[in-house]
Amino acid sequence: MKMNFTRRLKFLALLLFCLGGYGAVMAQITITGKATDAKTGEALINASIAVKGTPTGTVTDVDGTYTISAPENGTLVVAFLGYNTLEVAVNGRKTIDIALSASEESLKEVVVVGYGSQRKSDLTGAISTIKSDELAKTATGSVEQALEGKIAGVQVTPVSGEPGAGAVVHIRGVGTLNNASPLYVVDGMLLDDISYLNANDIDNLEVLKDASATAIYGSRGANGVMIVTTKKGKSGNTVISLNTYYGSQSLGKKIALVNGNQYAHLANQVAANEGIAPLFANPDSYGVGTDWQNAIFQTAPMKNVNLSARGGNDRMTFSVSGDYFDQTGIVKGSDYQRYSLRINNEYKLTDFIKLGHNIAFVYDQANVGANPISDALHADPTVSVQDSAGHYGNTGAISSVGNPVAEIFYHHDKKHAYRGEGNVYVDISFLKYLTFRSQVGLDYSNLSEKVFTPVFNVSPTQQNIVNNLTINTGDNLNRQWDNTLTFDKSWSNIHHLNVLAGITAQTYRTETFQGYRTNLPGESEDFWYLSSGQVVGQTNANNAGEWRIFSTLFRVNYTLMDRYLLTASYRRDGSTRFGKDKQYGDFPSIALGWRIKKEAFLKNVTWLDNLKLRVSYGAIGNDKTTKSGGGPDYYPGRPLIANNLIAVFGPGETLNNGATQTDLANPLIQWEESISKDIGFDAGFFNNRLTAEVDYYNRQTNKILINVPIPAYVGAENNPVVNAASVVNRGLDINLGWRDKITKNIGYSIGIVASTVHNEVLSLGQGNSQLFGGGLGFGGFLGTRTAIGTPIGAFYGLKTNGLFQTPEDIKNGPVVGDEKPGDLRYVDINHDGKITTDSDRIFLGSPIPNFIYGLNLGVNAYGFDISTYFNGVSGNKIWNSKKLARFGTPNFETSYLGSWTGPGTSTTTPRALNSGHNYLPSDYWIEDGSYTALRNLQIGYTLPPDILKQIHLTNLRIYVGATNLKTWAKYSGYTPEISSPVIQNLKGVGYNSGDLLSAGIDGGAYPVARTYTVGLNATF
């Protein structure tokens, strides 16, 4: 018994010892701490804290703090979206603060989307990104022009080379007959242009191309969206940066014109062909004559200086930058200057409330030069610029155009504009997963323009007998208020849900004034005021307009196991541009993504780093108009009445004032609607050295708003607007990149972007079988026709088939009427035995290219870097209208030297004439618009760190570069980059949109200059 008791006592002691040891191992302690960003020190809300090997876990609070129970010798696993997961040994500590560093993938691949941001790996939409350093490599005052050839699916065409000019931007083709420009979003502000921005202030620019990405902007995103994020300050030492360059601009290509001797001979040839007396008695006596292109073009300087300071601490970050841009035009008499200041600050009021602002102030001014280019191409080269007494030569006697140099001298057009744009926002984080953001934005601009014409007399056709002054002013006010609530939460690294809901409102108001007076007492600018002129004959006009839009929006982003992705969005817009019964439009979208590389069957495929499939579908609307700035109510839901109309009627034939309806109301018009479909994939190979993004898209726009014809007896001045037309754009976007390092100090990169575009009109609605546009400047003909089955603004004319060589050829016809040997032979399309411009014109090509491409190359080695990029288009045509427009006997391009002078002398160039059948609209005037351009070349050197330390700098790079260095093209004009004719907007110097039915017609475009630059980037 005693023995049993002893044994039991020993057994109990052993059991207590074991339990005590186990208890010592499993002793739980309570741990508290805070999770922060390792770089900025900001609290990480909703970070996951788990005990390794157990189901125990928690998340951080609104201030980044947490509390958890864990073994004294346990391990905490800390995870947060976009950051490297961290394992921390407890080691008996009761307070553990954790600093997480952003993952490399997150740092490089966070993309700004509508009203938020996402990891690129989680994107389901077609979005392209370009960084600030890529934009800044191109020496231009226009951010839009700097995008040319760098983004798949985006066609950028400079409006002109005029100082301060912008560009026409089309994303995935032209999807409307109205304003097809994209929406620009700058730090959350919805704008029509970004002409006021400079590239050095931009952090990155995202292009949203499919409905999955753009539908959150509803009606504003129908033509694509460009989201611009400007640079912000970061916690840490203040960084001061200086970026500056100086450039020299010159004409890249001259048009080959005949000299004085050749002109005199050709002019006599024309006279002989037209049966009149010779114009020049001794053609050989004129020699080379005047080169009018040399007379108007010049080598011009361009410079840019940007100075910024950025920094902050854990309670405030700041970014302040100032920029000065100065460009003199290569055409004499034109220049442009822009001064801008940007202040982007953010203040952390508490651990869960942040207040910030992004504000820009811009002043720009310009001497808007005359447009003497067309006259310089046509002016008589036998006439001198000035005679010995200093009088300007009369170029109008034979060539019927004004003296181009005199045009510049007597032209006075000065503009200046003020613009303030920005917003103030507050972010409030609460209940761990929710963030409320309220943002109020304002964009105000004021433009003033004075056009003064003095008294002068160059010739009977180039004179002004009474001086005159025109003043234009414009005020534009854009107000915006956005309120959004975001829910963001992850569960055990399996589920991630982001839900966004919001309400936004925007109001736009514009007012313009124009006044005109004559007979000012002097020519000095001191007299350039309306009150200086005489009252008799004065005119004035004052207009205003306003539109408003109210929207609700909703979006869900869901990620399952980091591989299955869902994005769904919905926006409802209400616009005052439509009748009250049709004001609202609904714009939903849905997109799915599959990160196939995350699947088990691909995890061991070492050469494949990323493979993601994306598919999306959505509807987006459009209410943009072709009127500058969006007009007031260009789509009338109510009638417009014109008053102050005077008429004589009645028995006494008295003068009566009256009014009439000029536009018919159509309260049933509604939103244009684009149905967009996209399927694409993203892939990475060989440690992501090779990357690929490929998308196929199909975007069909229905219910396009157009004017339809009505009987004249209705009495309305303009045709009513209805929803009638449909247009489809489809194609392929490809973005390929290769980036590698040969050694530690040598690396290189290659980037290729390519896009195909098929543009086709599907319907034009009631009463419209075709729409004409594109004035050719000769004979009153219109050069474009938009019809079912053709692209928008397709060229339309007769088809040629060589030249008539003999009278017998003419007898065999078909003919227009009284052709002579040497005239163009046209094809009888309808086989009725005669040529008519009504029945025998056909489709002659499109100004819209069917292939757009770009190539980027970069090499860096031991501090040196070389970068270059090419871009080009193919499949488009250009109508060379500057050759077609002839009045009198203007100068000739050298191609006329091969004109037909007898049977067999030419089979392509007709006899020299100033008018007649040869100048009918035909494919003779159509040229290939394809080109490849060496857009930019830059060579730089960055000083090594040891030298930088000695001169107290953190970075110093010196570079030389060239922009628009070389263009390979068949087109005979200055440039094959011909956009739509410009519609000026009183929003600020340099803002433009275009007439889609008149694109690709060259009447003498201001050429884009070739520019050589030297510059430096320094950081203190």
Side-chain angles (χ1 to χ4, degrees):
M1 194 69 184
K2 183 178 180 181
M3 224 24 215
N4 286 338
F5 176 79
T6 303
R7 288 177 180 175
R8 289 176 182 175
L9 189 60
K10 289 180 178 180
F11 176 78
L12 181 60
L14 179 62
L15 180 60
L16 290 174
F17 175 81
C18 292
L19 289 174
Y22 180 78
V25 172
M26 297 299 293
Q28 299 287 307
I29 59 174
T30 299
I31 303 168
T32 60
K34 185 174 183 179
T36 58
D37 183 297
K39 187 173 183 179
T40 66
E42 291 187 0
L44 299 181
I45 304 169
N46 199 34
S48 172
I49 314 289
V51 179
K52 188 175 182 179
T54 75
T56 304
T58 188
V59 294
T60 55
D61 220 328
V62 291
D63 56 359
T65 60
Y66 71 95
T67 301
I68 194 171
S69 295
E72 289 181 329
N73 59 348
T75 300
L76 300 183
V77 179
V78 187
F80 189 69
L81 187 66
Y83 288 75
N84 294 313
T85 300
L86 187 66
E87 293 190 2
V88 181
V90 175
N91 292 331
R93 293 177 294 170
K94 294 185 178 181
T95 301
I96 302 177
D97 290 330
I98 302 161
L100 292 184
S101 58
S103 67
E104 200 65 26
E105 178 187 17
S106 172
L107 288 172
K108 294 180 179 179
E109 301 295 335
V110 171
V111 176
V112 177
V113 296
Y115 304 98
S117 62
Q118 280 184 277
R119 289 188 309 169
K120 188 170 184 179
S121 58
D122 290 342
L123 289 179
T124 55
I127 299 178
S128 297
T129 301
I130 185 168
K131 296 295 184 180
S132 172
D133 55 350
E134 286 298 316
L135 294 172
K137 287 179 181 178
T138 302
T140 175
S142 165
V143 173
E144 298 103 313
Q145 289 191 20
L147 292 171
E148 192 172 10
K150 294 181 178 178
I151 302 174
V154 178
Q155 181 189 3
V156 179
T157 308
V159 170
S160 77
E162 187 176 2
V168 174
V169 179
H170 290 151
I171 298 176
R172 290 186 167 181
V174 180
T176 180
L177 300 175
N178 298 296
N179 189 333
S181 60
L183 170 69
Y184 298 96
V185 182
V186 180
D187 294 326
M189 275 295 296
L190 277 58
L191 308 173
D192 289 327
D193 76 295
I194 50 175
S195 59
Y196 69 100
L197 284 177
N198 64 82
N200 287 300
D201 278 346
I202 295 176
D203 188 25
N204 55 67
L205 185 152
E206 269 82 24
V207 180
L208 282 55
K209 295 180 283 189
D210 73 330
S212 169
T214 63
I216 196 67
Y217 290 107
S219 63
R220 309 302 303 279
N223 302 310
V225 179
M226 289 192 176
I227 299 181
V228 177
T229 304
T230 59
K231 293 178 179 178
K232 308 295 192 295
K234 297 180 180 179
S235 180
N237 295 330
T238 298
V239 177
I240 299 175
S241 298
L242 172 66
N243 299 288
T244 184
Y245 66 78
Y246 178 86
S248 176
Q249 307 165 95
S250 60
L251 181 65
K253 171 191 175 183
K254 287 179 64 176
I255 293 176
L257 301 176
V258 301
N259 60 28
N261 180 327
Q262 296 166 329
Y263 171 77
H265 279 286
L266 280 170
N268 282 349
Q269 207 178 113
V270 169
N273 288 334
E274 295 185 345
I276 61 176
L279 299 174
F280 295 93
N282 185 9
D284 292 328
S285 65
Y286 291 97
V288 175
T290 300
D291 187 328
W292 289 104
Q293 292 181 93
N294 285 348
I296 67 166
F297 288 112
Q298 64 182 351
T299 298
M302 179 170 66
K303 52 182 173 286
N304 182 232
V305 180
N306 182 273
L307 183 64
S308 65
R310 297 183 175 94
N313 53 40
D314 60 348
R315 285 295 175 182
M316 172 192 173
T317 59
F318 68 91
S319 173
V320 180
S321 69
D323 189 89
Y324 169 63
F325 177 78
D326 185 359
Q327 181 181 13
T328 301
I330 59 173
V331 174
K332 296 175 182 177
S334 59
D335 59 64
Y336 172 78
Q337 296 84 38
R338 182 179 65 213
Y339 307 82
S340 62
L341 173 68
R342 174 167 289 277
I343 305 172
N344 293 349
N345 290 4
E346 187 170 81
Y347 313 90
K348 191 174 182 181
L349 304 182
T350 70
D351 289 342
F352 56 90
I353 299 178
K354 289 189 294 187
L355 178 70
H357 56 75
N358 306 287
I359 301 173
F361 302 99
V362 183
Y363 172 77
D364 53 9
Q365 61 185 20
N367 283 303
V368 183
N371 188 11
I373 295 173
S374 180
D375 283 353
L377 297 175
H378 294 121
D380 182 347
T382 67
V383 176
S384 299
V385 175
Q386 291 177 303
D387 61 21
S388 58
H391 301 123
Y392 286 107
N394 177 11
T395 57
I398 296 177
S399 63
S400 297
V401 298
N403 185 313
V405 178
E407 284 183 51
I408 295 172
F409 182 78
Y410 292 117
H411 182 85
H412 304 284
D413 185 348
K414 294 181 177 291
K415 287 184 179 181
H416 70 264
Y418 300 90
R419 185 169 183 173
E421 181 276 321
N423 55 51
V424 177
Y425 63 89
V426 60
D427 285 344
I428 303 174
S429 300
F430 60 100
L431 299 180
K432 297 185 180 181
Y433 318 116
L434 293 173
T435 302
F436 172 74
R437 183 183 181 96
S438 184
Q439 174 177 291
V440 177
L442 187 71
D443 179 22
Y444 172 76
S445 60
N446 171 271
L447 172 74
S448 178
E449 178 184 27
K450 294 185 177 183
V451 183
F452 175 75
T453 306
V455 175
F456 65 88
N457 187 347
V458 177
S459 69
T461 58
Q462 189 178 11
Q463 63 174 317
N464 186 53
I465 59 175
V466 179
N467 67 33
N468 58 77
L469 173 69
T470 300
I471 291 182
N472 297 301
T473 64
D475 282 288
N476 299 275
L477 178 61
N478 174 17
R479 292 169 292 175
Q480 180 180 323
W481 187 18
D482 300 335
N483 294 277
T484 60
L485 182 65
T486 303
F487 172 87
D488 191 273
K489 180 174 172 57
S490 294
W491 292 270
S492 304
N493 292 324
I494 296 176
H495 308 278
H496 177 231
L497 180 64
N498 181 283
V499 181
L500 170 77
I503 297 175
T504 75
Q506 188 173 13
T507 300
Y508 179 85
R509 189 180 191 281
T510 180
E511 182 173 354
T512 62
F513 168 81
Q514 182 182 78
Y516 172 83
R517 285 198 182 185
T518 63
N519 207 12
L520 279 68
E523 296 184 1
S524 167
E525 287 191 48
D526 294 335
F527 297 107
W528 291 10
Y529 297 93
L530 292 177
S531 294
S532 298
Q534 67 180 21
V535 176
V536 178
Q538 70 172 332
T539 63
N540 60 73
N542 185 215
N543 294 291
E546 183 178 80
W547 61 263
R548 298 180 301 279
I549 190 167
F550 178 81
S551 310
T552 55
L553 55 97
F554 180 79
R555 182 178 61 209
V556 175
N557 289 307
Y558 174 65
T559 303
L560 175 63
M561 295 187 293
D562 205 25
R563 70 187 74 165
Y564 308 114
L565 314 170
L566 167 68
T567 299
S569 67
Y570 168 80
R571 180 162 175 146
R572 179 172 174 82
D573 285 336
S575 172
T576 58
R577 286 189 173 130
F578 303 115
K580 63 179 182 179
D581 295 331
K582 298 291 183 179
Q583 282 188 329
Y584 284 89
D586 299 290
F587 309 108
S589 77
I590 187 168
L592 301 173
W594 180 21
R595 299 187 67 190
I596 307 174
K597 172 57 182 173
K598 291 285 186 176
E599 298 293 349
F601 59 83
L602 286 180
K603 281 190 175 180
N604 295 324
V605 181
T606 57
W607 51 267
L608 179 65
D609 304 291
N610 177 41
L611 181 60
K612 180 173 67 174
L613 181 67
R614 297 176 281 102
V615 61
S616 68
Y617 174 91
I620 40 183
N622 186 28
D623 70 342
K624 285 188 176 181
T625 75
T626 54
K627 279 199 172 184
S628 58
D633 281 320
Y634 187 58
Y635 306 136
R638 52 191 178 275
L640 300 182
I641 305 297
N643 55 15
N644 294 324
L645 301 178
I646 300 173
V648 178
F649 61 89
E653 294 187 349
T654 56
L655 193 65
N656 294 273
N657 289 319
T660 188
Q661 182 174 328
T662 58
D663 287 282
L664 295 178
N666 183 1
L668 300 180
I669 57 173
Q670 55 186 294
W671 301 85
E672 295 181 359
E673 184 180 67
S674 292
I675 304 299
S676 176
K677 306 168 189 175
D678 186 283
I679 182 169
F681 70 85
D682 306 330
F685 309 89
F686 315 118
N687 292 323
N688 281 316
R689 287 177 293 174
L690 174 63
T691 58
E693 297 175 10
V694 179
D695 285 85
Y696 171 79
Y697 67 90
N698 185 299
R699 176 166 63 109
Q700 180 172 324
T701 307
N702 302 314
K703 297 186 290 188
I704 294 177
L705 292 153
I706 64 171
N707 296 90
V708 296
I710 57 174
Y713 61 74
V714 174
E717 180 179 336
N718 299 310
N719 293 324
V721 176
V722 301
N723 296 97
S726 296
V727 173
V728 67
N729 289 273
R730 58 176 178 266
L732 199 66
D733 288 347
I734 301 172
N735 188 346
L736 303 175
W738 174 270
R739 185 180 297 272
D740 197 10
K741 277 196 169 186
I742 301 174
T743 68
K744 179 181 178 181
N745 297 308
I746 302 175
Y748 67 97
S749 63
I750 302 171
I752 298 173
V753 295
S755 304
T756 64
V757 181
H758 174 81
N759 178 271
E760 182 181 347
V761 177
L762 301 179
S763 67
L764 285 177
Q766 307 169 7
N768 270 321
S769 60
Q770 53 193 356
L771 298 174
F772 291 96
L776 300 177
F778 187 88
F781 289 108
L782 298 175
T784 72
R785 173 178 177 261
T786 300
I788 297 172
T790 71
I792 292 175
F795 295 135
Y796 186 60
L798 300 172
K799 182 176 176 58
T800 59
N801 184 22
L803 306 178
F804 290 115
Q805 297 292 332
T806 65
E808 287 73 22
D809 289 343
I810 297 173
K811 288 180 181 179
N812 294 328
V815 295
V816 177
D818 59 351
E819 281 92 332
K820 302 291 189 297
D823 285 343
L824 287 171
R825 184 202 305 267
Y826 297 112
V827 177
D828 182 12
I829 298 298
N830 67 349
H831 306 293
D832 64 355
K834 58 184 179 180
I835 302 298
T836 63
T837 54
D838 290 335
S839 303
D840 292 313
R841 282 196 284 175
I842 61 171
F843 169 68
L844 299 178
S846 171
I848 302 174
N850 55 33
F851 186 56
I852 308 168
Y853 55 92
L855 172 65
N856 295 267
L857 304 171
V859 177
N860 58 82
Y862 299 100
F864 288 94
D865 62 90
I866 301 175
S867 64
T868 183
Y869 78 90
F870 299 80
N871 80 289
V873 302
S874 67
N876 61 308
K877 302 294 183 181
I878 297 173
W879 197 300
N880 194 341
S881 180
K882 60 183 175 53
K883 289 181 67 175
L884 178 64
R886 298 185 66 80
F887 304 93
T889 305
N891 198 11
F892 305 88
E893 296 188 20
T894 55
S895 59
Y896 281 87
L897 294 173
S899 297
W900 187 94
T901 55
T905 54
S906 175
T907 59
T908 56
T909 307
R911 64 193 179 113
L913 293 167
N914 285 330
S915 60
H917 308 108
N918 295 338
Y919 291 95
L920 292 173
S922 72
D923 59 0
Y924 182 75
W925 310 103
I926 303 291
E927 298 187 39
D928 189 350
S930 303
Y931 70 87
T932 298
L934 175 50
R935 188 63 60 196
N936 195 73
L937 174 65
Q938 194 174 101
I939 303 172
Y941 177 69
T942 302
L943 272 64
D946 54 341
I947 296 179
L948 291 172
K949 187 175 181 180
Q950 295 177 22
I951 58 177
H952 305 290
L953 293 176
T954 56
N955 180 67
L956 179 62
R957 177 177 177 268
I958 304 170
Y959 66 88
V960 294
T963 302
N964 304 316
L965 191 58
K966 174 69 176 177
T967 299
W968 293 269
K970 295 180 180 179
Y971 181 57
S972 61
Y974 286 121
T975 174
E977 298 180 84
I978 306 297
S979 66
S980 307
V982 172
I983 300 173
Q984 293 290 349
N985 183 357
L986 294 181
K987 177 169 284 192
V989 179
Y991 173 72
N992 306 283
S993 62
D995 176 7
L996 298 175
L997 301 186
S998 302
I1001 298 177
D1002 182 8
Y1006 193 125
V1008 177
R1010 176 184 297 157
T1011 307
Y1012 297 94
T1013 56
V1014 57
L1016 66 85
N1017 312 123
T1019 304
F1020 304 86

